[in-house]
Amino acid sequence: MGAELPQETPAVPAVDAVRAAAARAGLVREIEASGAFDSDPAWREAFEEVPRHLFVPYYYVGTAEGYERLWGEDPDPGRRERWLRGAYADEPLATRVRDGELISSSSQPSLMAQMLADLAVRDGDAVLEIGAGTGYNAALLAHRLGDALVTTVDLDPEITESARRHLAAAGLRPRVVTGDGARGCPEHAPYDRIIATCALETVPRAWLAQCGPGARILAPMATGLILLDVQDGEHAEGRFLHMPAYFVPLRGGAREEDRMRLTGGLPRRALHSELFRFLLTLTRDVLDPHEALALWRREGKPARERFGVTVSGSDVWAWLDDPTGPYAWPLP
């Protein structure tokens, strides 16, 4: 087992309510300025009411030497203030680090807000979250929908236990289940919405079987976000959203940096293009990197919205422009 930096603090930090509320209001203004609330303003109230600092009693910031731990019970008032400011910054926060590698994080709040808006929940929807993380995303969902309609699952029992504590500190009690997210959570199905907060290499077939009529799945894949409409237990289809998204892989899958190792000889300008890196990751097991570059140039450097994913029975494939067109690539 690798060496893991200390993860837990003995108690929920005692924070001045006025200072925390002011910091939270500042975060909400940043999220609003990003446009993430535009399509579903009801999410603003959730971000106003759910205190993020309860879900990140400690986190890590990168330094030249590795990671520095900030926590709410630090005896140094200056470091406590840094911790509180960071807890309400519109930035992702590293929450678990092992052997110098990030293994769990709290996502950037404005990205979380955009994903929740794109999920298009309705009152009464049952939601399954894959990847409990700190519990903050489940808290936002539970605030909006109610505890009974939200289930979050994670493979790591330490993560689920800490998520339960954080949620309880915030006065929320959605279901927190320890299990393999790729299998979903059949005991509480059916679900109207499934949202993943970890990067996928394919669409787990078990999720479709746990979806109700008209369900929607939103998940990170290949540095983007795929939004699938579910037709039935064996069929789903959808396109990628326009924005980039980087998440820790589901069950410790390969990182994007590892996938970029076989790119020798490609032009530096192409490798610096976020859209080309998206295509390269999406087609990594099918197209040679030079073939991917030729396709990217030939098709006019296509944006993410031109790509999609189809699930049909045991087959899952990604495609450009048309699921039955000439450019399609099988997924695992």
Side-chain angles (χ1 to χ4, degrees):
M1 293 290 290
E4 187 168 322
L5 295 181
Q7 302 299 329
E8 295 300 334
T9 53
V12 174
V15 177
D16 180 87
V18 174
R19 288 171 53 238
R24 190 157 61 251
L27 173 61
V28 170
R29 287 193 294 272
E30 283 194 66
I31 297 173
E32 187 167 47
S34 77
F37 294 142
D38 290 354
S39 62
D40 192 349
W43 285 113
R44 179 187 175 107
E45 180 184 340
F47 281 87
E48 287 175 334
E49 296 297 327
V50 176
R52 191 188 189 203
H53 71 270
L54 295 181
F55 295 86
V56 286
Y58 60 87
Y59 56 85
Y60 302 91
V61 294
T63 68
E65 292 75 32
Y67 285 95
E68 175 190 11
R69 187 175 189 254
L70 295 178
W71 61 298
E73 293 295 316
D74 196 300
D76 184 327
R79 289 176 60 82
R80 289 199 305 271
E81 182 63 28
R82 282 181 61 202
W83 164 79
L84 184 62
R85 287 200 308 269
Y88 286 106
D90 187 24
E91 297 175 357
L93 297 174
T95 55
R96 294 174 72 86
V97 175
R98 180 179 295 145
D99 291 337
E101 180 180 336
L102 174 66
I103 60 173
S104 187
S105 65
S106 178
S107 301
Q108 182 178 8
S110 59
L111 177 58
M112 295 173 67
Q114 188 63 62
M115 289 177 68
L116 290 169
D118 288 324
L119 194 62
V121 299
R122 306 154 299 186
D123 290 346
D125 276 350
V127 178
L128 172 64
E129 179 192 32
I130 308 297
T134 66
Y136 182 48
N137 199 58
L140 295 166
L141 285 161
H143 182 278
R144 172 81 179 264
L145 299 170
D147 291 343
L149 290 173
V150 178
T151 302
T152 183
V153 60
D154 202 288
L155 186 63
D156 190 328
E158 291 185 9
I159 289 178
T160 52
E161 179 56 32
S162 64
R164 284 190 194 96
R165 288 199 301 271
H166 301 159
L167 286 158
L172 295 163
R173 286 178 170 77
R175 298 185 190 93
V176 181
V177 177
T178 303
D180 183 354
R183 298 178 59 188
C185 190
E187 57 267 37
H188 300 300
Y191 304 103
D192 302 291
R193 298 288 186 268
I194 296 179
I195 182 170
T197 57
C198 45
L200 307 181
E201 293 190 348
T202 190
V203 180
R205 318 307 193 268
W207 293 3
L208 273 63
Q210 296 169 34
C211 285
R216 174 171 284 190
I217 296 172
L218 178 61
M221 181 183 288
T223 80
L225 293 167
I226 186 66
L227 183 60
L228 297 170
D229 291 315
V230 180
Q231 284 82 53
D232 55 44
E234 293 192 343
H235 299 86
E237 190 168 275
R239 290 182 179 266
F240 283 87
L241 304 181
H242 72 278
M243 68 279 220
Y246 296 87
F247 285 79
V248 175
L250 176 67
R251 294 191 294 170
R255 295 173 299 168
E256 187 203 0
E257 295 93 322
D258 299 326
R259 295 164 181 157
M260 300 297 289
R261 288 179 298 178
L262 303 177
T263 57
L266 291 180
R268 182 173 299 179
R269 179 176 296 181
L271 289 175
H272 286 176
S273 167
E274 211 287 319
L275 287 175
F276 176 61
R277 290 169 68 91
F278 165 75
L279 173 61
L280 201 57
T281 306
L282 187 65
T283 62
R284 64 188 175 274
D285 296 323
V286 182
L287 290 185
D288 174 87
H290 294 272
E291 293 177 327
L293 178 61
L295 170 62
W296 187 64
R297 287 173 168 169
R298 186 167 61 248
E299 290 299 313
K301 302 178 181 179
R304 279 187 185 78
E305 304 96 299
R306 289 178 60 187
F307 293 88
V309 170
T310 297
V311 183
S312 181
S314 61
D315 297 323
V316 185
W317 67 95
W319 40 266
L320 173 64
D321 292 332
D322 183 347
T324 61
Y327 299 124
W329 311 279
L331 295 176

